[in-house]
Amino acid sequence: MRSLLFVPGDSERKLEKGFGAGADVVIVDLEDSVAPQNKATARAVAARFIVERRGQTTSAIYVRVNDLSTGLTDDDLAALVAAKPDGIMLPKSNSGQDVQHLSAKLRVREAENGLPDGSIRILPIITETPTGILAAATYAGASARLAGLTWGAEDLSAAIGARSTRDEQGRYTDVFRHARLTTILAAGAAEVAAIDTVFPNFRDMAAFATECAEAERDGFTGKMAIHPDQVPVINAAFTPSAEAVEQSAAIVAAFEAVGNPGVVGIDGKMYDRPHLRLAERLLARARAAGISA
Ligand code: 1VU
């Protein structure tokens, strides 16, 4: 999951484009990009589109449902689980308990639709409410369905009354840096992927590339997109470079060559178990991107 492209669920034109955009995941949105009066239409359009076109895309398909407090989630699941999505994105998740709540709902829908128990994954957005940020540690061990953790700034901004998420230089202000960092740490604790949030200025590719590079540096393994033009930039940023793959392979080989000890020296530099773990993680990401060492 390097690139995850949001596509409004009520727009057949965008669904068409989104399924061909080369994203690792297409997130068919039933939530914020769909007006309240269009929810029913979006469910019908999205479900039919997924059923008809899923064989024609290489992207995994997730559906962002409306959050558990809206009273809309059950109707979303009733309409969309029949289309057999790979996962459900849960917005405004308040804790690991919300993931368990959604998991219980999915178990019922999977049984109704003849799908294996646990086959549909869950990707929660964990920072859209202040409660969600404070409960970030509860995602560890919450559910085997957990595919990763991601974060959002706009709903949090509305919830706390922050007038802006960024300063004059375009950098996140303290509260939003905290939310971003919390997501990385909570994902690490839960041993799942950390996915960075969207960048709204979809014409500013230079700033977007910088934000992708910083996210990759800090431990995110993917990023969400709102426009198809952002997808190749994300895929490039989160695909390990040939140099990094070669270096990681050399570290793993050096440990294996001497019976997997605690520490080795390569070209005059010390490498111990954390370096080995980091190298193994990078090689796993490279394999997932179709690159072999
Ligand atoms: O050339 P065409 O007319 O055939 O296609 C346009 C446009 O329809 C298409 N396109 C997309 N297709 C699929 N998925 C998308 N997300 C998407 N965005 C655009 O690409 C062609 C060129 O589009 P454009 O450059 O002229 O851009 P527009 O003005 O048409 O669209 C801009 C917006 C922002 C409205 C559009 O990109 C969009 O709807 N994005 C998704 C917004 C969304 O889902 N927001 C909710 C998630 S954000 C969040 O919740 C944070 C956690």
Side-chain angles (χ1 to χ4, degrees):
M1 291 203 296
R2 295 165 302 175
S3 51
L4 301 88
L5 173 64
F6 276 107
V7 184
D10 58 349
S11 169
E12 206 148 339
R13 191 182 181 101
K14 285 180 183 168
L15 286 165
E16 185 84 51
K17 195 133 197 157
F19 272 44
D24 291 339
V25 180
V26 169
I27 305 167
V28 178
D29 190 24
L30 301 179
E31 202 217 14
D32 285 350
S33 69
V34 176
Q37 67 275 14
N38 273 1
K39 298 289 184 190
T41 305
R43 288 182 197 116
V45 168
R48 183 172 39 78
F49 197 93
I50 294 171
V51 169
E52 287 176 5
R53 303 297 182 84
R54 69 166 315 131
Q56 297 163 29
T57 182
T58 53
S59 306
I61 299 167
Y62 275 51
V63 174
R64 181 164 74 168
V65 294
N66 291 281
D67 77 74
L68 293 170
S69 72
T70 58
L72 299 173
T73 324
D74 286 327
D75 286 348
D76 293 342
L77 294 175
L80 270 300
V81 170
K84 304 185 173 131
D86 298 288
I88 299 292
M89 171 172 275
L90 179 64
K92 300 181 187 68
S93 180
N94 282 312
S95 68
Q97 272 188 321
D98 276 2
V99 169
Q100 288 164 350
H101 186 169
L102 176 60
S103 180
K105 290 177 183 294
L106 283 173
R107 191 169 306 122
V108 174
R109 300 291 174 191
E110 285 167 342
E112 283 172 358
N113 288 283
L115 296 171
D117 183 13
S119 55
I120 299 179
R121 312 296 301 279
I122 297 176
L123 178 58
I125 309 180
I126 69 164
T127 69
E128 291 188 318
T129 68
T131 308
I133 297 180
L134 296 173
T138 61
Y139 290 94
S143 169
R145 293 181 192 269
L146 206 60
L149 300 179
T150 187
W151 73 287
E154 304 307 329
D155 281 288
L156 178 61
S157 161
I160 62 175
R163 280 187 289 102
S164 178
T165 60
R166 297 181 188 252
D167 65 17
E168 293 73 23
Q169 282 76 46
R171 299 191 177 281
Y172 282 117
T173 56
D174 284 349
V175 172
F176 300 95
R177 275 210 296 275
H178 179 87
R180 177 181 183 275
L181 176 61
T182 297
T183 305
I184 296 172
L185 296 177
E191 298 185 15
V192 295
I195 306 295
D196 196 18
T197 195
V198 298
F199 182 74
N201 303 339
F202 58 89
R203 304 275 185 235
D204 190 346
M205 285 302 162
F208 184 61
T210 301
E211 185 157 297
C212 288
E214 289 175 357
E216 196 275 339
R217 175 200 66 196
D218 292 346
F220 286 108
T221 55
K223 186 168 176 69
M224 300 190 292
I226 53 160
H227 193 284
D229 288 354
Q230 294 180 324
V231 169
V233 181
I234 296 176
N235 285 346
F238 289 92
T239 302
S241 68
E243 188 188 356
V245 170
E246 193 183 324
Q247 193 190 17
S248 296
I251 293 170
V252 171
F255 274 87
E256 284 173 359
V258 287
N260 218 6
V263 62
V264 296
I266 307 173
D267 296 335
K269 193 171 168 207
M270 181 203 80
Y271 291 86
D272 59 10
R273 305 302 292 184
H275 296 105
L276 175 61
R277 174 91 189 97
L278 207 51
E280 288 170 340
R281 283 178 72 128
L282 187 132
L283 291 176
R285 281 174 51 210
R287 275 193 300 278
I291 299 166
S292 53

